[in-house]
């Protein structure tokens, strides 16, 4: 991850409105249209339903308060503006308070297909639909509470749990495996790749295995973990997670499934989500 962002987050004015340019709205419109087409039959039902509830405008960047007005009565969540990079303590504190941190910039047209720093499209389109689902929303808050209290060494492993669920998680459904991770569903290429490419491994979710699995942020994922239900995730956090972490540490991490040149999956600052 980067230690500083090349993007500048936008600040709401006194009325809580963030002013986006016509060019920025056009980027949102392009991303929204193509992703809406791609996610059909690939995103989980809960994501599709959440997207419908949010009813985001297709032709402009939504405002923070527009998303919060939908989430608050459904699950008690809201979205708050943050810089592109925030500290881990700030990140976990917000999650624990049912506040979703959103970097308020949007990518430039030259970076439509890949962006190393999550932008407002990633935050709103990728993550907010799942926050309309009560069990998943509770999981996110509980994760924030646990990570906030965790020792720094444990946070490094907890970051892997976040990565392979919230960002790049798959779920088994009656219709087959579907995507729910925001890092997948905000990406044109990864949405298709995650389900249809023969390259990556799709493993049954096991908490110890997840905590032992290194990842890279700058490649298509080589490994995805498939859960059976969102309740399983929440129940995991209600167990003695410290024992799971200790077991993973004792077993040691798996060999990386990717080239390790320039590799790092940890950082002192989180790029929002």
């Amino acid at each position: 991850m980067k230690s500083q962002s090349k993007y500048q987050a936008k600040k709401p004015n006194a009325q809580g409105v963030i002013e986006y340019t016509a060019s920025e709205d056009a980027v949102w419109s392009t991303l929204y249209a193509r992703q809406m087409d791609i996610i059909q039959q690939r995103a989980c039902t809960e994501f599709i339903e959440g997207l419908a509830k949010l009813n985001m405008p297709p032709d402009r960047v939504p405002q923070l308060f527009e998303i919060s007005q939908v989430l608050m009565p459904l699950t008690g969540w809201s979205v708050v503006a943050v810089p592109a990079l925030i500290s881990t303590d700030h990140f976990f504190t917000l999650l624990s308070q049912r506040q979703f941190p959103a970097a308020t910039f949007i990518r430039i047209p030259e970076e439509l297909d890949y962006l190393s720093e999550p932008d407002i499209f990633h935050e709103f389109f990728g993550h907010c639909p799942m926050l309309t689902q009560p069990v998943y929303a509770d999981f996110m808050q509980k994760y924030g509470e646990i990570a906030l209290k965790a020792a720094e060494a444990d946070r490094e492993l907890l970051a892997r749990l976040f990565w392979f669920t919230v960002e790049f998680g798959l779920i088994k459904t009656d219709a087959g495996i579907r995507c729910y991770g925001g890092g997948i569903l905000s990406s044109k290429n990864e949405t298709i790749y995650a389900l249809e490419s023969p390259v990556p491994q799709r493993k049954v979710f096991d908490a110890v295995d997840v905590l032992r699995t290194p990842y890279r942020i700058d490649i298509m994922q080589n490994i995805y973990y498939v859960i059976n239900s969102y309740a399983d995730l929440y129940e995991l956090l209600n167990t003695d997670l410290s024992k799971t972490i200790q077991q993973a540490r004792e077993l040691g991490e798996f060999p990386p499934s990717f080239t390790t040149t320039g590799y790092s999956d940890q950082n002192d600052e989180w790029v929002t989500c």
Side-chain angles (χ1 to χ4, degrees):
M1 294 185 182
K2 296 185 176 182
S3 60
Q4 64 183 59
S5 173
K6 72 176 183 180
Y7 285 97
Q8 183 68 42
K10 290 173 171 277
K11 295 182 179 179
N13 62 21
Q15 288 72 45
V17 173
I18 298 174
E19 297 180 2
Y20 291 99
T21 66
S23 175
E24 289 169 328
D25 283 336
V27 168
W28 171 275
S29 180
T30 298
L31 292 169
Y32 185 91
R34 74 179 191 182
Q35 206 63 16
M36 284 295 289
D37 180 57
I38 290 168
I39 64 170
Q40 306 306 319
Q41 310 305 317
R42 295 187 177 97
C44 64
T45 299
E46 293 84 358
F47 183 89
I48 298 294
E49 291 175 348
L51 203 55
K53 291 172 183 176
L54 289 174
N55 193 28
M56 291 182 285
D59 57 349
R60 64 170 175 83
V61 182
Q63 295 294 324
L64 294 157
F65 62 81
E66 292 176 312
I67 303 298
S68 295
Q69 285 172 353
V70 177
L71 292 179
M72 185 61 72
L74 291 174
T75 59
W77 277 76
S78 61
V79 290
V80 294
V82 297
L85 297 172
I86 60 176
S87 70
T88 53
D89 279 348
H90 188 190
F91 179 79
F92 296 138
T93 297
L94 290 174
L95 293 187
S96 71
Q97 296 172 347
R98 299 180 91 88
Q99 294 181 301
F100 187 77
T104 52
F105 67 89
I106 193 163
R107 69 196 71 180
I108 58 176
E110 292 76 16
E111 295 187 334
L112 282 182
D113 292 340
Y114 175 74
L115 187 69
S116 61
E117 307 162 38
D119 68 347
I120 199 71
F121 183 79
H122 172 87
E123 315 288 31
F124 280 175
F125 191 98
H127 286 296
C128 287
M130 290 302 300
L131 288 175
T132 66
Q133 306 299 320
V135 174
Y136 184 87
D138 289 346
F139 161 73
M140 285 282 280
Q141 179 189 20
K142 187 74 172 180
Y143 176 89
E145 291 176 350
I146 291 173
L148 187 61
K149 298 174 183 176
E152 191 61 38
D154 289 349
R155 284 183 178 182
E156 293 179 0
L157 295 188
L158 287 172
R160 293 177 176 178
L161 176 61
F162 193 94
W163 186 261
F164 288 111
T165 57
V166 176
E167 291 292 354
F168 289 93
L170 301 178
I171 185 169
K172 184 179 180 181
T173 75
D174 291 340
I177 295 176
R178 294 291 184 265
C179 309
Y180 71 90
I184 299 175
L185 290 168
S186 59
S187 165
K188 174 178 73 73
N189 295 328
E190 193 124 17
T191 300
I192 298 170
Y193 170 90
L195 295 184
E196 298 167 29
S197 171
V199 174
Q201 301 177 64
R202 300 170 185 89
K203 297 184 175 184
V204 175
F205 183 89
D206 178 88
V208 173
D209 285 352
V210 169
L211 297 178
R212 297 175 64 199
T213 304
Y215 62 85
R216 285 191 72 134
I217 69 166
D218 57 349
I219 61 171
M220 296 282 224
Q221 298 304 296
N222 290 328
I223 296 173
Y224 300 95
Y225 283 97
V226 185
I227 63 172
N228 289 316
S229 74
Y230 304 111
D232 289 347
L233 289 180
Y234 186 71
E235 287 306 312
L236 169 64
L237 299 186
N238 282 325
T239 63
D240 187 349
L241 195 55
S242 63
K243 290 184 178 179
T244 306
I245 291 172
Q246 183 59 32
Q247 184 181 357
R249 185 170 286 117
E250 290 174 354
L251 290 170
E253 68 177 33
F254 293 122
S257 60
F258 46 79
T259 176
T260 58
T261 303
Y263 154 68
S264 174
D265 70 352
Q266 307 299 339
N267 195 47
D268 291 335
E269 292 180 290
W270 280 52
V271 189
T272 60
C273 308

